[in-house]
Amino acid sequence: MFESLIREAANRFHLGDNAGRLVRSLVDDIFDPAHGGFAGLRTRFDHAGLGDLFASWIGTTPGDNVLQPDQFSAGFGQNLSSGIASKLGIPAAAVNMAGAWLLPKIVGLLTPGGTLPTSRPADYDRWFGTAAPVATSTSRPAPVAPASSGGIWKWLIPLIILIAAFLLFRSCKKEEAAPPPPAEPAATMQPAAAPVAQANPRFGFENVDGKVMVNGQVASDADKTRLWDALKANFGEGNLSGDITVDPATLPANWLDKLIAALPELKAKGLKFGFDGDKLNIDTSGLSEADRFTVSDKLRNLFGGFEISGLWDRAAAALAGLKAGFSGDDLVKALNLMNIYFDTGSATITRDSLETLTNAANAIKQAPAGTKIEVGGYTDNTGDAAANVTLSQHRAEAVVAKLAELGVAADVLTGKGYGQEKPRASNDTEEGRAQNRRIEFAVSK
């Protein structure tokens, strides 16, 4: 059932034999009664705000990249993923990255026809090539009924035994002892290969007056050549310095193709950015205000599935510019410059929105005492109106929950879904519909 999944994981994430052990560990933890079994897994995803995403995998064949590594850690359980990493001897980041790819597919395989398992499937041992231990028993010969104590048998039986013993003795004297069988050579146990620790792919970039300095680490010479050739083509070999090392134990660089395609638009002097695994850090402090907005917007659009820090948009600038003693109206004016994104058709907040919400939470916590804020969710007019109200309500509640997680007092915020009501722009164009899909803040009266 899992053979092809294990093979693909081994190739995709360079896990080797650890791919099979990782898949089995995930399935073991899914059905561990100490963690609540399959129902417990679903509950953990609900608590992480990922319940709708989890439900979309049941009875289906999920595609790639439907779950991000940090979402895997949050839903599956950080302690459980760290425990698997320790058991397999690989970095927790490797477990989270591979687990994010594997788990949706495992859930789909375990729920054929949408049926939820309540216990470990009967075929579990066969899936992983193991068998339950076979019970052994020792049989005893049936007892021999004692001979009658009377008559001629009283004397005949001992006589027969004596004759048989005498004949056996003579036979043993005539036969030579059979040579013992040759000893089997002792099996040589090959030590298991030590698991290879896997490092995050890295890339650092800094443009100082048109001179570009880079550093990093990727998994193969082919990846290094592709990236280095693209850098030379865009900035000129004479303007390029630094080095990119190759280590086969490095995880795949999921940002590589997008980065190569984006280089023509990343020529602003003073720009700094870097990747570490699936995290992107941006430093636009050396750019003009207008360029900071433009470059941040480009990078966010290109790497929306990544955890991004250092974004500089109009909301970040407005929140940073709030003066001491600001009013609730000043606060929501700045908050409404934010763009908060969700996975398509769900209430799951994208990872690139985390820093935006962190900045919002820090500002809300400084609001005047007694300030109450409504978080309103809105959609475009695509689809069923009632379903849009439900989706917008879930999204508003997801933002409230995330802000509360970031330290905002629970009684400050309320969430309300308005669906396709109050459009900001025409729904006749994609640009207009994009403006209408929004989170809007208001001071509660």
Side-chain angles (χ1 to χ4, degrees), residues 53-264:
L53 182 61
F54 185 92
S56 70
W57 309 332
I58 294 173
T60 65
T61 305
D64 295 343
N65 303 321
V66 296
L67 181 68
Q68 299 300 324
D70 65 326
Q71 294 174 321
F72 168 81
S73 178
F76 190 77
Q78 186 173 355
N79 291 340
L80 293 179
S81 62
S82 297
I84 292 174
S86 177
K87 180 172 66 176
L88 300 184
I90 61 178
V95 171
N96 291 339
M97 183 170 289
W101 183 82
L102 284 164
L103 187 63
K105 296 173 172 59
I106 291 173
V107 170
L109 288 171
L110 294 174
T111 55
T115 302
L116 305 186
T118 57
S119 61
R120 199 169 74 171
D123 288 340
Y124 173 87
D125 293 319
R126 180 175 57 79
W127 293 342
F128 294 105
T130 63
V134 178
T136 59
S137 62
T138 304
S139 60
R140 296 184 179 180
V144 179
S148 171
S149 59
I152 190 170
W153 295 105
K154 179 178 180 180
W155 306 106
L156 186 57
I157 291 175
L159 180 60
I160 292 173
I161 293 173
L162 286 173
I163 293 171
F166 175 76
L167 293 173
L168 179 63
F169 174 78
R170 290 190 63 185
S171 174
C172 290
K173 291 294 288 181
K174 291 179 180 179
E175 293 178 4
E176 292 187 8
E184 296 259 347
T188 303
M189 297 297 292
Q190 295 293 331
V196 178
Q198 293 185 291
N200 281 336
R202 295 179 291 99
F203 179 72
F205 175 100
E206 182 175 1
N207 186 330
V208 180
D209 294 327
K211 300 293 184 180
V212 173
M213 294 171 284
V214 299
N215 62 79
Q217 177 176 306
V218 292
S220 69
D221 288 318
D223 285 350
K224 175 180 177 177
T225 299
R226 288 179 58 222
L227 180 52
W228 198 258
D229 287 348
L231 289 164
K232 288 192 295 184
N234 282 279
F235 299 99
E237 188 170 4
N239 295 321
L240 190 60
S241 63
D243 189 26
I244 300 169
T245 61
V246 174
D247 185 345
T250 306
L251 292 164
N254 294 330
W255 38 260
L256 184 60
D257 292 336
K258 291 181 180 180
L259 174 60
I260 290 173
L263 286 176

Side-chain angles (χ1 to χ4, degrees), residues 120-431:
R120 199 169 74 171
D123 288 340
Y124 173 87
D125 293 319
R126 180 175 57 79
W127 293 342
F128 294 105
T130 63
V134 178
T136 59
S137 62
T138 304
S139 60
R140 296 184 179 180
V144 179
S148 171
S149 59
I152 190 170
W153 295 105
K154 179 178 180 180
W155 306 106
L156 186 57
I157 291 175
L159 180 60
I160 292 173
I161 293 173
L162 286 173
I163 293 171
F166 175 76
L167 293 173
L168 179 63
F169 174 78
R170 290 190 63 185
S171 174
C172 290
K173 291 294 288 181
K174 291 179 180 179
E175 293 178 4
E176 292 187 8
E184 296 259 347
T188 303
M189 297 297 292
Q190 295 293 331
V196 178
Q198 293 185 291
N200 281 336
R202 295 179 291 99
F203 179 72
F205 175 100
E206 182 175 1
N207 186 330
V208 180
D209 294 327
K211 300 293 184 180
V212 173
M213 294 171 284
V214 299
N215 62 79
Q217 177 176 306
V218 292
S220 69
D221 288 318
D223 285 350
K224 175 180 177 177
T225 299
R226 288 179 58 222
L227 180 52
W228 198 258
D229 287 348
L231 289 164
K232 288 192 295 184
N234 282 279
F235 299 99
E237 188 170 4
N239 295 321
L240 190 60
S241 63
D243 189 26
I244 300 169
T245 61
V246 174
D247 185 345
T250 306
L251 292 164
N254 294 330
W255 38 260
L256 184 60
D257 292 336
K258 291 181 180 180
L259 174 60
I260 290 173
L263 286 176
E265 301 182 72
L266 300 178
K267 294 185 177 181
K269 295 178 181 179
L271 173 62
K272 301 177 187 178
F273 64 86
F275 289 94
D276 186 356
D278 58 353
K279 296 181 179 179
L280 169 60
N281 178 261
I282 306 167
D283 182 351
T284 59
S285 58
L287 279 61
S288 68
E289 191 80 351
D291 285 343
R292 296 185 75 179
F293 294 146
T294 301
V295 171
S296 290
D297 189 53
K298 286 179 180 177
L299 287 170
R300 186 175 190 182
N301 288 334
L302 285 166
F303 300 100
F306 289 69
E307 182 178 326
I308 306 176
S309 59
L311 286 169
W312 189 253
D313 56 16
R314 300 191 185 281
L319 290 170
L322 287 172
K323 297 179 180 179
F326 61 82
S327 68
D329 289 332
D330 294 330
L331 174 60
V332 298
K333 185 177 180 180
L335 292 174
N336 283 331
L337 295 173
M338 295 191 307
N339 288 319
I340 301 169
Y341 297 106
F342 299 85
D343 288 341
T344 303
S346 83
T348 301
I349 300 170
T350 58
R351 301 176 69 205
D352 54 288
S353 298
L354 178 59
E355 186 181 53
T356 300
L357 289 171
T358 300
N359 293 336
N362 291 336
I364 294 171
K365 287 185 282 187
Q366 299 174 44
T371 300
K372 306 291 184 183
I373 297 174
E374 180 189 89
V375 180
Y378 296 85
T379 69
D380 59 29
N381 68 347
T382 304
D384 179 71
N388 285 337
V389 172
T390 300
L391 177 60
S392 64
Q393 180 68 38
H394 289 166
R395 287 180 170 178
E397 290 171 351
V399 172
V400 170
K402 178 57 71 174
L403 290 171
E405 181 184 316
L406 293 169
V408 177
D411 61 347
V412 171
L413 304 170
T414 56
K416 182 172 176 58
Y418 291 93
Q420 59 198 46
E421 293 181 22
K422 303 179 184 178
R424 277 183 179 175
S426 170
N427 280 304
D428 294 335
T429 67
E430 178 52 40
E431 290 181 358

